[in-house]
Amino acid sequence: MGVEICVEGLTKSFGHQVIWQDVSLTLPAGEVSVMLGPSGTGKSVFLKTLVGLLKPDRGSVTVAGRDITKLREHDLYEVRKLFGVLFQDGALFGSMNLYDNIAFPLREHTRKSESEIRRIVLEKMDMVGLLGAEAKLPGEISGGMRKRAGLARALVLDPEIILFDEPDSGLDPVRVAYLNQLIVDLNAQIDATFLIVTHDIASARQVPDNIGLLFRRELVMFGPREQLLTSDEPVVRQFLNGRMQGPIGMAEEKDAAQVEQELAQIREPTRTPGSRPLTPRLLPGPGITRPPRWEAIATREAELQRKEVTGA
Ligand SMILES: Nc1ncnc2c1ncn2[C@@H]1O[C@H](COP(=O)(O)OP(=O)(O)O)[C@@H](O)[C@H]1O
Ligand SMILES: [Mg+2]
């Protein structure tokens, strides 16, 4: 069913450099959340803090009822088994074929027999569409296939939570579309809690239940997808529309006067009906049962869309 992750007052710095501070959010069990933010805002650091690879300065991360920031190494090791992580580059071993790469966590962390391992590896390879590529080396396949292999490896221990670090980076738009569909399908099938870090706006619009935005060392906003997509908050508007005008600049920050001037230029003080259409959600593919929460979400989104179009 997936587990909830509750983050409260989380702050992380390296030396004197504060990466982000006072981050609080709840990743609801079984839902898909996306964390957006410009490069260098600490998205990868956030994921590493969630799995306990990095220790925060302050705050708590409660996973399945336990604050992982307070756990000793042995207990942390147990909690970490709840997580599957897809690192940015897939993090595959270059000298191992895909089969052995995907089998690795099972051989390392379980006492399963090779025949049992074989059953699991082939099942996960099938789920991500890699059946038949067992003998390939990571260097012999496309970036998209490497991501899927990394995903299959993240799945073998049947995680309750899956963290994706920029799964779409380095992929062409068609491969990104396939990967997004795979993520939505997987979530419907295995029901784990997903957190995807990305700066791909198109993916962020279509895939998740919830969206968060990290900017200037703060979590600007975190909430249901439709709330962010229709938000009036300038940073959220700028990021989700991929515009140059606004608080986010090339060098991360602009001075306040410039931001004021640019925001005045955009001139959208009054929202006109239909001006912020809600991008349709990506649905699970044919033959895949939708999770129960989808009905409530569809009703909520239809209502919001009606208001947006009629201006009511
Ligand atoms: N282990 C580390 N030690 C010191 N600084 C780090 C470490 N890991 C990341 N940083 C710094 O934290 C900031 C955020 O990095 P990162 O999380 O990789 O950003 P993002 O993933 O959003 O692009 C960067 O300035 C980076 O240099
Ligand atoms: Mg990163």
Side-chain angles (χ1 to χ4, degrees), residues 130-149:
L130 279 180
L131 224 45
E134 292 91 311
K136 293 264 196 267
L137 290 171
E140 297 171 342
I141 58 176
S142 68
M145 283 174 85
R146 274 199 294 276
K147 301 266 182 186
R148 283 185 281 142

PDB file of all heavy atoms in Angstrom, residues 130-149:
ATOM      1  N   LEU A 130      12.033  -4.789 -20.426  1.00  0.00           N
ATOM      2  CA  LEU A 130      13.419  -5.110 -20.790  1.00  0.00           C
ATOM      3  C   LEU A 130      13.656  -6.603 -20.994  1.00  0.00           C
ATOM      4  O   LEU A 130      14.813  -7.029 -21.107  1.00  0.00           O
ATOM      5  CB  LEU A 130      14.383  -4.602 -19.706  1.00  0.00           C
ATOM      6  CG  LEU A 130      14.769  -3.134 -19.730  1.00  0.00           C
ATOM      7  CD1 LEU A 130      15.729  -2.830 -18.591  1.00  0.00           C
ATOM      8  CD2 LEU A 130      15.386  -2.720 -21.064  1.00  0.00           C
ATOM      9  N   LEU A 131      12.580  -7.378 -21.020  1.00  0.00           N
ATOM     10  CA  LEU A 131      12.759  -8.811 -21.183  1.00  0.00           C
ATOM     11  C   LEU A 131      13.505  -9.090 -22.493  1.00  0.00           C
ATOM     12  O   LEU A 131      13.195  -8.496 -23.521  1.00  0.00           O
ATOM     13  CB  LEU A 131      11.382  -9.491 -21.200  1.00  0.00           C
ATOM     14  CG  LEU A 131      11.220 -10.776 -20.388  1.00  0.00           C
ATOM     15  CD1 LEU A 131      11.839 -10.673 -19.012  1.00  0.00           C
ATOM     16  CD2 LEU A 131       9.754 -11.139 -20.276  1.00  0.00           C
ATOM     17  N   GLY A 132      14.492  -9.959 -22.422  1.00  0.00           N
ATOM     18  CA  GLY A 132      15.284 -10.258 -23.616  1.00  0.00           C
ATOM     19  C   GLY A 132      16.615  -9.529 -23.633  1.00  0.00           C
ATOM     20  O   GLY A 132      17.506  -9.870 -24.399  1.00  0.00           O
ATOM     21  N   ALA A 133      16.765  -8.508 -22.755  1.00  0.00           N
ATOM     22  CA  ALA A 133      18.011  -7.721 -22.749  1.00  0.00           C
ATOM     23  C   ALA A 133      18.930  -8.122 -21.593  1.00  0.00           C
ATOM     24  O   ALA A 133      19.859  -7.397 -21.247  1.00  0.00           O
ATOM     25  CB  ALA A 133      17.688  -6.230 -22.683  1.00  0.00           C
ATOM     26  N   GLU A 134      18.677  -9.307 -21.008  1.00  0.00           N
ATOM     27  CA  GLU A 134      19.414  -9.739 -19.815  1.00  0.00           C
ATOM     28  C   GLU A 134      20.929  -9.705 -19.984  1.00  0.00           C
ATOM     29  O   GLU A 134      21.666  -9.357 -19.079  1.00  0.00           O
ATOM     30  CB  GLU A 134      19.012 -11.173 -19.409  1.00  0.00           C
ATOM     31  CG  GLU A 134      17.596 -11.318 -18.899  1.00  0.00           C
ATOM     32  CD  GLU A 134      16.615 -11.635 -20.015  1.00  0.00           C
ATOM     33  OE1 GLU A 134      16.641 -10.935 -21.051  1.00  0.00           O
ATOM     34  OE2 GLU A 134      15.827 -12.571 -19.859  1.00  0.00           O
ATOM     35  N   ALA A 135      21.412 -10.119 -21.164  1.00  0.00           N
ATOM     36  CA  ALA A 135      22.855 -10.279 -21.345  1.00  0.00           C
ATOM     37  C   ALA A 135      23.556  -8.992 -21.781  1.00  0.00           C
ATOM     38  O   ALA A 135      24.778  -8.953 -21.875  1.00  0.00           O
ATOM     39  CB  ALA A 135      23.113 -11.382 -22.377  1.00  0.00           C
ATOM     40  N   LYS A 136      22.792  -7.940 -22.016  1.00  0.00           N
ATOM     41  CA  LYS A 136      23.408  -6.673 -22.472  1.00  0.00           C
ATOM     42  C   LYS A 136      24.198  -6.004 -21.351  1.00  0.00           C
ATOM     43  O   LYS A 136      23.803  -6.043 -20.183  1.00  0.00           O
ATOM     44  CB  LYS A 136      22.306  -5.708 -22.918  1.00  0.00           C
ATOM     45  CG  LYS A 136      21.563  -6.157 -24.163  1.00  0.00           C
ATOM     46  CD  LYS A 136      22.159  -5.493 -25.393  1.00  0.00           C
ATOM     47  CE  LYS A 136      21.245  -5.588 -26.586  1.00  0.00           C
ATOM     48  NZ  LYS A 136      21.534  -6.770 -27.413  1.00  0.00           N
ATOM     49  N   LEU A 137      25.279  -5.339 -21.734  1.00  0.00           N
ATOM     50  CA  LEU A 137      26.027  -4.520 -20.787  1.00  0.00           C
ATOM     51  C   LEU A 137      25.462  -3.098 -20.822  1.00  0.00           C
ATOM     52  O   LEU A 137      24.978  -2.662 -21.865  1.00  0.00           O
ATOM     53  CB  LEU A 137      27.514  -4.493 -21.164  1.00  0.00           C
ATOM     54  CG  LEU A 137      28.283  -5.792 -20.963  1.00  0.00           C
ATOM     55  CD1 LEU A 137      29.684  -5.684 -21.591  1.00  0.00           C
ATOM     56  CD2 LEU A 137      28.381  -6.157 -19.492  1.00  0.00           C
ATOM     57  N   PRO A 138      25.544  -2.369 -19.687  1.00  0.00           N
ATOM     58  CA  PRO A 138      24.997  -1.007 -19.665  1.00  0.00           C
ATOM     59  C   PRO A 138      25.527  -0.129 -20.802  1.00  0.00           C
ATOM     60  O   PRO A 138      24.791   0.703 -21.350  1.00  0.00           O
ATOM     61  CB  PRO A 138      25.454  -0.477 -18.305  1.00  0.00           C
ATOM     62  CG  PRO A 138      25.542  -1.686 -17.452  1.00  0.00           C
ATOM     63  CD  PRO A 138      26.026  -2.783 -18.364  1.00  0.00           C
ATOM     64  N   GLY A 139      26.788  -0.321 -21.176  1.00  0.00           N
ATOM     65  CA  GLY A 139      27.377   0.487 -22.242  1.00  0.00           C
ATOM     66  C   GLY A 139      26.829   0.188 -23.623  1.00  0.00           C
ATOM     67  O   GLY A 139      27.072   0.938 -24.567  1.00  0.00           O
ATOM     68  N   GLU A 140      26.114  -0.919 -23.753  1.00  0.00           N
ATOM     69  CA  GLU A 140      25.619  -1.326 -25.084  1.00  0.00           C
ATOM     70  C   GLU A 140      24.187  -0.869 -25.359  1.00  0.00           C
ATOM     71  O   GLU A 140      23.647  -1.135 -26.427  1.00  0.00           O
ATOM     72  CB  GLU A 140      25.645  -2.856 -25.206  1.00  0.00           C
ATOM     73  CG  GLU A 140      27.031  -3.459 -25.111  1.00  0.00           C
ATOM     74  CD  GLU A 140      26.989  -4.994 -25.020  1.00  0.00           C
ATOM     75  OE1 GLU A 140      25.921  -5.551 -24.686  1.00  0.00           O
ATOM     76  OE2 GLU A 140      28.030  -5.598 -25.274  1.00  0.00           O
ATOM     77  N   ILE A 141      23.557  -0.238 -24.361  1.00  0.00           N
ATOM     78  CA  ILE A 141      22.138   0.108 -24.524  1.00  0.00           C
ATOM     79  C   ILE A 141      21.918   1.616 -24.440  1.00  0.00           C
ATOM     80  O   ILE A 141      22.798   2.356 -24.009  1.00  0.00           O
ATOM     81  CB  ILE A 141      21.262  -0.612 -23.466  1.00  0.00           C
ATOM     82  CG1 ILE A 141      21.728  -0.249 -22.052  1.00  0.00           C
ATOM     83  CG2 ILE A 141      21.293  -2.120 -23.689  1.00  0.00           C
ATOM     84  CD1 ILE A 141      20.880  -0.816 -20.946  1.00  0.00           C
ATOM     85  N   SER A 142      20.718   2.051 -24.830  1.00  0.00           N
ATOM     86  CA  SER A 142      20.400   3.488 -24.841  1.00  0.00           C
ATOM     87  C   SER A 142      20.198   4.013 -23.417  1.00  0.00           C
ATOM     88  O   SER A 142      19.992   3.246 -22.474  1.00  0.00           O
ATOM     89  CB  SER A 142      19.118   3.720 -25.633  1.00  0.00           C
ATOM     90  OG  SER A 142      18.023   3.167 -24.932  1.00  0.00           O
ATOM     91  N   GLY A 143      20.245   5.342 -23.298  1.00  0.00           N
ATOM     92  CA  GLY A 143      20.016   5.980 -21.998  1.00  0.00           C
ATOM     93  C   GLY A 143      18.663   5.611 -21.412  1.00  0.00           C
ATOM     94  O   GLY A 143      18.538   5.379 -20.208  1.00  0.00           O
ATOM     95  N   GLY A 144      17.656   5.527 -22.276  1.00  0.00           N
ATOM     96  CA  GLY A 144      16.313   5.179 -21.803  1.00  0.00           C
ATOM     97  C   GLY A 144      16.269   3.776 -21.230  1.00  0.00           C
ATOM     98  O   GLY A 144      15.637   3.522 -20.200  1.00  0.00           O
ATOM     99  N   MET A 145      16.973   2.858 -21.895  1.00  0.00           N
ATOM    100  CA  MET A 145      17.018   1.473 -21.391  1.00  0.00           C
ATOM    101  C   MET A 145      17.782   1.401 -20.073  1.00  0.00           C
ATOM    102  O   MET A 145      17.420   0.641 -19.174  1.00  0.00           O
ATOM    103  CB  MET A 145      17.670   0.550 -22.425  1.00  0.00           C
ATOM    104  CG  MET A 145      16.739   0.187 -23.582  1.00  0.00           C
ATOM    105  SD  MET A 145      17.613  -0.746 -24.854  1.00  0.00           S
ATOM    106  CE  MET A 145      17.501  -2.427 -24.202  1.00  0.00           C
ATOM    107  N   ARG A 146      18.843   2.222 -19.965  1.00  0.00           N
ATOM    108  CA  ARG A 146      19.610   2.226 -18.695  1.00  0.00           C
ATOM    109  C   ARG A 146      18.735   2.698 -17.542  1.00  0.00           C
ATOM    110  O   ARG A 146      18.791   2.159 -16.432  1.00  0.00           O
ATOM    111  CB  ARG A 146      20.845   3.114 -18.824  1.00  0.00           C
ATOM    112  CG  ARG A 146      22.047   2.385 -19.413  1.00  0.00           C
ATOM    113  CD  ARG A 146      23.345   3.111 -19.124  1.00  0.00           C
ATOM    114  NE  ARG A 146      23.398   4.400 -19.802  1.00  0.00           N
ATOM    115  CZ  ARG A 146      23.789   4.547 -21.077  1.00  0.00           C
ATOM    116  NH1 ARG A 146      24.165   3.502 -21.784  1.00  0.00           N
ATOM    117  NH2 ARG A 146      23.799   5.740 -21.616  1.00  0.00           N
ATOM    118  N   LYS A 147      17.898   3.718 -17.807  1.00  0.00           N
ATOM    119  CA  LYS A 147      16.995   4.211 -16.747  1.00  0.00           C
ATOM    120  C   LYS A 147      16.035   3.093 -16.340  1.00  0.00           C
ATOM    121  O   LYS A 147      15.751   2.899 -15.163  1.00  0.00           O
ATOM    122  CB  LYS A 147      16.161   5.388 -17.247  1.00  0.00           C
ATOM    123  CG  LYS A 147      16.970   6.553 -17.723  1.00  0.00           C
ATOM    124  CD  LYS A 147      17.168   7.559 -16.638  1.00  0.00           C
ATOM    125  CE  LYS A 147      17.946   8.737 -17.226  1.00  0.00           C
ATOM    126  NZ  LYS A 147      18.319   9.722 -16.270  1.00  0.00           N
ATOM    127  N   ARG A 148      15.526   2.371 -17.353  1.00  0.00           N
ATOM    128  CA  ARG A 148      14.566   1.310 -17.033  1.00  0.00           C
ATOM    129  C   ARG A 148      15.228   0.169 -16.278  1.00  0.00           C
ATOM    130  O   ARG A 148      14.630  -0.427 -15.390  1.00  0.00           O
ATOM    131  CB  ARG A 148      13.877   0.827 -18.310  1.00  0.00           C
ATOM    132  CG  ARG A 148      12.804   1.816 -18.763  1.00  0.00           C
ATOM    133  CD  ARG A 148      12.024   1.345 -19.941  1.00  0.00           C
ATOM    134  NE  ARG A 148      12.747   1.539 -21.186  1.00  0.00           N
ATOM    135  CZ  ARG A 148      12.734   0.693 -22.200  1.00  0.00           C
ATOM    136  NH1 ARG A 148      12.031  -0.425 -22.108  1.00  0.00           N
ATOM    137  NH2 ARG A 148      13.406   0.951 -23.287  1.00  0.00           N
ATOM    138  N   ALA A 149      16.504  -0.102 -16.623  1.00  0.00           N
ATOM    139  CA  ALA A 149      17.235  -1.134 -15.890  1.00  0.00           C
ATOM    140  C   ALA A 149      17.443  -0.695 -14.433  1.00  0.00           C
ATOM    141  O   ALA A 149      17.280  -1.486 -13.504  1.00  0.00           O
ATOM    142  CB  ALA A 149      18.579  -1.402 -16.561  1.00  0.00           C
TER     143      ALA A 149
END
